[in-house]
Amino acid sequence: MISDSKHTVLDIEKIRAEFPILHQEVNKRPLAYFDNAASSQKPQVVIDAISNYYSTINSNIHRGVHHLSQLATDAYEQSREKIRKHLNAEKKHEIIFTKGTTDSINLVANGFRQLLQEGDEIIVSAMEHHSNIVPWQLAAKEKGAIIRVIPMNDNAELIFEEYQKLLNEKTKIVAFNHISNALGTINPVKEMIAEAHKYNVPVMVDGAQAIPHTLVDVQDLDADFYCFSSHKVYGPTGIGILYGKEEWLEKLPPYQGGGEMIKEVSFEGTTYAELPHKFEAGTPHIEGGIVLGTAIDYINTIGVENIAAHEHALMEYALEKLGTIEGFNLIGSAKNKAAVISFLIDGIHPYDAGTILDKLGIAVRTGHHCAQPTMSRFNIPGTVRASFAVYNTYEEIDRLHEGLLKVKQMFA
Amino acid sequence: MAESIQDIQEEIVDEFGMFDDWMPKYDYLIELGKELPLIDEQYKTEDRLIKGCQSRVWLHAELNDGKVVFTADSDAIITKGIISLLVRVLSNQEPEAIVNADMAFIDEIDLKEHLSPTRANGLVSMIKQMKYYALAFQAKKEQ
Ligand SMILES: Cc1ncc(COP(=O)(O)O)c(C=O)c1O
């Protein structure tokens, strides 16, 4: 077995010790958790921060004059600042708290729906999560706009020349993911954005799978919108981020009405609050917003590049090891690929493989990964997916390998 | 006189009582899955397809001599193994007995995880669908 220390500077055992949930047995075997692309586990600092919030400063924000409200508001706004810094956004009010990636995309798609006209075009890619397809379809359908799809090649890479051909004066927005959840492909975001900007077309990047594994600089990418979910980056569920350039956020109409997002309300009309509050109606997920900041601190303490290096080494090891299994088919072999291995084994249904692996204490994802068009592209109903996080080990990959041999033996 | 739904369930519970570990149990399920008489190809149509997120199930029902005969198939073998048990319990029974059947045996042989909605393998919908068919045949009979 290759030892972790050869590949990274991280002490993985020490990191694992910070994740209480990992130290349990599933079906009498130690848990090996490989469903990180769906949701990652939480370190003790994140768990503690949640209970600290409720034990010390809980109260509603942005509205009270009292002490606790001030503390909670400060903590919430400090977290917004941390996230601004992490994404290198220019302005703090360009960071909007949302419920997550899906909510962020819906916010933007809903705004564009109101700007769209019949015959306008929206470009998405062939490797999107349903969350980055359906909101655009809803918007397009209502306004008679058209969805255009960037195709991919057999290695699961978007075909740049085809993308160039799709862009034109009718294009109103381009939306695609930074890293594909079903295939692991890392898309050339910066180049794709630059291409759209030649036509003055804004770009929305779904960064759900990127933020846990890459350092993102929204100004360097020149992204118009960028979003992610906290729960995939070691933070709590129910909270996420939409980054939007100020000029675009100003242009978009509000998403939901309610408290917090208004300046003045009368029955004759209402004026909206300034950014970011215009898009943050109602009492938000206060503790979630604060603790997402804790999670961001956590990955920065370890170093996002260190995390990525460890995961990359794990992926290479896994590809080598699993590649020796007869009938192993990797789905998604892009040159530029992040810590996701989606695969099929000849003659074995993903559900069958996943069920037996679960019996062996190994958690993988099976099915279409909310990316049915991606599966159709490869003519398959679904895959088995193992996705890695900072706490995964080489030993766990050895167990996955053994587990798959067992699966083969049982279904032979 | 054919066996009752209750008797068949008890038989299955007895059979599964032999397994003291998950592995022989799943080996047996896989075997059942492989042996399941295939649904006639002509019935593997879109309208007989129950779409689960994880696996797909086809179900066909006919009334034969006052009894409902089910045939079914799936693309996943473990799902097929469980289908084979469901068919064994509910096929060749009177519509009324099927409508009223309590499928407690699934719990007793500890396979209920496959019938949880999170699995989305089509099995929960399959049981529902079997009962709908029975109900429809029952209504027809009473006319
Ligand atoms: C690429 C991608 N986009 C969007 C989503 C949706 O994220 P959420 O369910 O957190 O809104 C996911 C999560 O599965 C994802 O992987």
Side-chain angles (χ1 to χ4, degrees), chain A residues 37 100-102 129 131 177 179 181 206 208-209 229 231-232:
Chain A
T101 305
T102 305
H129 188 282
S131 290
N177 56 40
I179 297 180
N181 65 308
D206 168 354
Q209 295 298 335
S229 301
H231 69 95
K232 292 182 199 283

Side-chain angles (χ1 to χ4, degrees), chain A residues 3-250:
Chain A
S3 83
D4 285 333
S5 57
K6 266 192 201 156
H7 289 269
T8 83
V9 295
L10 300 179
D11 181 348
I12 301 302
E13 281 316 309
K14 187 164 157 261
I15 289 172
R16 283 183 75 77
E18 294 169 344
F19 290 79
I21 203 170
L22 297 177
H23 308 283
Q24 65 174 301
E25 295 197 334
V26 169
N27 293 316
K28 303 203 191 91
R29 318 271 174 133
L31 167 66
Y33 186 79
F34 287 125
D35 196 16
N36 297 290
S39 200
S40 65
Q41 299 303 348
K42 320 303 170 200
Q44 194 67 50
V45 279
V46 164
I47 299 168
D48 288 346
I50 295 171
S51 98
N52 276 346
Y53 167 77
Y54 288 110
S55 318
T56 56
I57 60 170
N58 172 55
S59 66
N60 213 330
I61 55 173
H62 297 139
R63 35 186 99 168
V65 290
H66 61 80
H67 180 68
L68 288 184
S69 173
Q70 194 54 52
L71 291 180
T73 305
D74 287 349
Y76 196 70
E77 291 306 320
Q78 274 161 19
S79 178
R80 195 192 304 274
E81 170 56 21
K82 267 180 205 167
I83 291 151
R84 180 206 67 74
K85 199 165 153 219
H86 188 69
L87 297 177
N88 192 32
E90 191 187 345
K91 295 165 187 151
K92 196 173 139 198
H93 60 249
E94 293 176 323
I95 303 296
I96 312 287
F97 282 112
T98 64
K99 287 189 282 184
T101 305
T102 305
D103 193 37
S104 300
I105 298 169
N106 274 283
L107 187 160
V108 177
N110 178 70
F112 271 84
R113 181 175 65 187
Q114 310 196 35
L115 305 176
L116 285 176
Q117 288 174 357
E118 196 173 331
D120 281 347
E121 298 183 0
I122 295 169
I123 298 178
V124 299
S125 95
M127 58 173 79
E128 295 311 309
H129 188 282
H130 296 163
S131 290
N132 204 18
I133 301 173
V134 184
W136 303 112
Q137 283 176 331
L138 289 172
K141 195 168 165 209
E142 190 181 306
K143 289 300 172 80
I146 298 154
I147 307 278
R148 301 261 181 236
V149 182
I150 313 166
M152 58 177 140
N153 64 24
D154 290 340
N155 292 334
E157 294 160 324
L158 294 179
I159 306 170
F160 201 81
E161 302 72 50
E162 295 298 324
Y163 167 53
Q164 287 173 310
K165 282 187 218 157
L166 292 177
L167 283 161
N168 63 52
E169 314 69 49
K170 283 184 277 178
T171 313
K172 283 296 164 313
I173 186 162
V174 177
F176 54 83
N177 56 40
H178 190 158
I179 297 180
S180 149
N181 65 308
L183 304 162
T185 305
I186 305 174
N187 287 313
V189 182
K190 194 171 170 177
E191 292 74 16
M192 290 175 74
I193 291 173
E195 206 58 30
H197 285 175
K198 288 182 185 165
Y199 295 83
N200 291 320
V201 173
V203 177
M204 159 115 214
V205 182
D206 168 354
Q209 295 298 335
I211 292 297
H213 315 289
T214 353
L215 270 181
V216 169
D217 179 332
V218 290
Q219 291 190 77
D220 177 56
L221 295 178
D222 203 15
D224 301 281
F225 300 99
Y226 195 101
C227 65
F228 68 94
S229 301
S230 153
H231 69 95
K232 292 182 199 283
V233 60
Y234 311 105
T237 58
I239 188 89
I241 292 296
L242 170 67
Y243 158 79
K245 278 185 189 162
E246 181 181 44
E247 53 169 305
W248 276 109
L249 292 177
E250 295 286 5

